[in-house]
Amino acid sequence: MKKGSSATKTKAATESEQFRKLQKKLRRQVSWAIRDFNMIEDGDVIMVCVSGGKDSYTLLDILLLLKRIAPISFDIVAVNLDQKQPGYPEDILPDYLNEQGIAHYILEKDTYSIVKSVVPEGKTYCSACSRLRRGSLYGFAKQIGATKIALGHHRDDMLATFFLNLFHGGALKSMPPKLLSDDKQNLLIRPLAYVEEKDIIEYARLKAFPIIPCNLCGSQTNLQRAIINDMLREWDDAHPQRLASIFKAMQNVAPSQLADRELFDFEKLSLDRDGQERLFEGDNIQAGQTDSLAEIGLPVSPETQRFNPKFADKQPKQVSNKASNQALNRKSNQASNKTMEDDGSAQKIPTINPVI
């Protein structure tokens, strides 16, 4: 296909109603994440790590859009690390960034050879590769004075990391939307934290980003992350709200309901009962081995109550007939109540102990 024809199709796609709605959705979700976690402040210099994949392209594109309309002033610089993988198309990213007029740096470092030399044959390269990449990018951010490092991880990446740690790491942790590096020299932000991967895929398709595949690790089979991603996609297809619910749970942690002794002080838990007695609500209590009960100071014939005392003396309120279509149901209920009164039946409904 000719370049002109491709550009025309891309222009038409980005002017469509579908694209405008999707872009508005992504812009809103990124804005929420920035607001909720105070990711970007006035005067920030944001270093956006661009790999050439759909996620980082989308992140850069949405941040540039927000920069134009945000009520605060901040700057954006794109940074790519060329890791010298065999067959890596070195011209694609510089051409795209120059065409878009985006300030950028291309860092060249042969981490590929290092990874190949330190990782045993048959093992995955991802961990060693990401460590080397992080070290280079973190150091460069400090060198140029960038105040934040923006990464393209999205909601599904965070969920996959959560399950990787759960299934294989024995830890409840994931990728936080905002993180201070261990050496406290850099602040990392993930503005796509609320964005679903399927929306990024569609956005990248409509924008026709020049995607660069990762042949270093993408060609390896049976990656645990790939298996987790497949699981998440199956869940999303079968139960559309499941992933949203899991992500919401990651934002709604109850330390006292887990088992981390460092996070919650279980050892010092103690009773703080008041003097109000709560009788068992039921028909009867059978006590066995009463001598043993008495010996340890427990009642041999505990009292019971049939109904919750606070409802015992209250009669159901009569509601006036305000709508003709409710009259029939009301008359039916009144007739039923009268029958119960004639039979001497109990009028109260037993309640379940709310404390339990």
Side-chain angles (χ1 to χ4, degrees):
M1 183 182 295
K2 294 181 180 180
K3 186 175 182 180
S5 174
S6 177
T8 301
K9 286 190 174 182
T10 300
K11 186 174 185 295
T14 55
E15 291 177 351
S16 67
E17 182 67 18
Q18 176 192 6
F19 174 79
R20 285 195 293 270
K21 286 183 177 179
L22 179 57
Q23 187 180 63
K24 183 178 180 181
K25 178 183 180 182
L26 298 186
R27 187 181 68 219
R28 184 175 64 248
Q29 290 174 330
V30 170
S31 297
W32 286 347
I34 291 172
R35 175 202 63 194
D36 290 350
F37 297 95
N38 191 30
M39 292 184 181
I40 299 178
E41 300 169 275
D42 192 49
D44 268 338
V45 176
I46 310 298
M47 187 180 101
V48 182
C49 297
V50 182
S51 65
K54 61 179 175 30
D55 305 332
S56 58
Y57 274 127
T58 299
L59 171 64
L60 180 62
D61 196 70
I62 297 297
L63 286 182
L64 288 170
L65 176 61
L66 290 176
K67 172 179 165 55
R68 293 195 294 269
I69 62 176
I72 61 173
S73 175
F74 61 92
D75 292 310
I76 291 175
V77 58
V79 176
N80 168 256
L81 178 62
D82 178 356
Q83 299 177 267
K84 299 303 177 182
Q85 302 170 19
Y88 179 79
E90 297 180 355
D91 59 327
I92 289 181
L93 257 177
D95 287 352
Y96 173 80
L97 295 171
N98 284 321
E99 181 182 326
Q100 300 297 318
I102 301 170
H104 65 276
Y105 296 99
I106 305 295
L107 312 180
E108 298 183 29
K109 183 175 183 177
D110 186 6
T111 62
Y112 175 83
S113 299
I114 299 173
V115 170
K116 291 287 287 184
S117 66
V118 299
V119 177
E121 190 69 30
K123 298 293 183 180
T124 58
Y125 304 137
C126 296
S127 179
C129 180
S130 63
R131 282 200 304 272
L132 289 170
R133 184 169 60 247
R134 279 199 305 269
S136 297
L137 292 172
Y138 288 9
F140 188 68
K142 185 178 180 182
Q143 179 182 340
I144 64 174
T147 54
K148 306 280 175 58
I149 300 175
L151 304 175
H153 300 123
H154 47 70
R155 186 203 69 174
D156 295 9
D157 285 328
M158 297 167 70
L159 290 174
T161 302
F162 172 81
F163 283 106
L164 278 170
N165 283 309
L166 180 67
F167 295 161
H168 306 289
L172 283 176
K173 65 178 184 178
S174 180
M175 298 173 171
K178 186 177 182 181
L179 176 70
L180 180 64
S181 61
D182 291 339
D183 60 5
K184 297 181 171 51
Q185 301 298 301
N186 287 289
L187 269 173
L188 280 65
I189 58 174
R190 295 183 170 97
L192 299 180
Y194 293 163
V195 179
E196 300 173 56
E197 183 179 32
K198 59 187 178 184
D199 286 336
I200 293 175
I201 293 172
E202 180 63 10
Y203 190 78
R205 184 187 70 81
L206 292 171
K207 289 284 289 188
F209 292 134
I211 304 297
I212 302 174
C214 178
N215 294 321
L216 179 61
C217 57
S219 60
Q220 291 177 282
T221 58
N222 299 321
L223 294 176
Q224 292 298 337
R225 182 172 288 274
I227 295 171
I228 295 293
N229 285 333
D230 289 342
M231 178 190 76
L232 295 179
R233 291 189 190 100
E234 289 177 7
W235 282 356
D236 193 39
D237 291 340
H239 311 280
Q241 294 304 312
R242 178 175 289 183
L243 299 190
S245 179
I246 297 172
F247 187 74
K248 184 178 180 180
M250 290 169 59
Q251 303 171 75
N252 186 24
V253 179
S256 65
Q257 308 302 304
L258 297 172
D260 190 328
R261 292 173 294 152
E262 298 294 327
L263 201 59
F264 187 81
D265 193 353
F266 295 96
E267 186 177 346
K268 292 184 179 178
L269 288 178
S270 61
L271 294 174
D272 186 19
R273 285 179 174 167
D274 55 34
Q276 184 178 359
E277 186 178 34
R278 177 81 187 206
L279 300 181
F280 170 70
E281 296 176 4
D283 298 327
N284 185 42
I285 298 175
Q286 295 186 35
Q289 299 296 317
T290 54
D291 290 343
S292 298
L293 291 172
E295 184 177 339
I296 59 178
L298 299 180
V300 297
S301 183
E303 296 181 49
T304 65
Q305 60 180 3
R306 187 64 182 273
F307 309 110
N308 189 320
K310 69 178 181 180
F311 297 120
D313 299 326
K314 294 182 180 179
Q315 297 297 328
K317 293 182 179 179
Q318 297 297 323
V319 181
S320 60
N321 185 5
K322 295 182 179 179
S324 58
N325 62 345
Q326 295 177 349
L328 185 59
N329 288 337
R330 183 174 290 104
K331 288 180 180 179
S332 175
N333 290 338
Q334 290 173 348
S336 176
N337 290 341
K338 189 174 187 308
T339 301
M340 292 178 67
E341 290 171 359
D342 292 341
D343 293 341
S345 302
Q347 297 301 301
K348 303 291 187 298
I349 299 175
T351 60
I352 301 299
N353 187 341
V355 177
I356 297 178

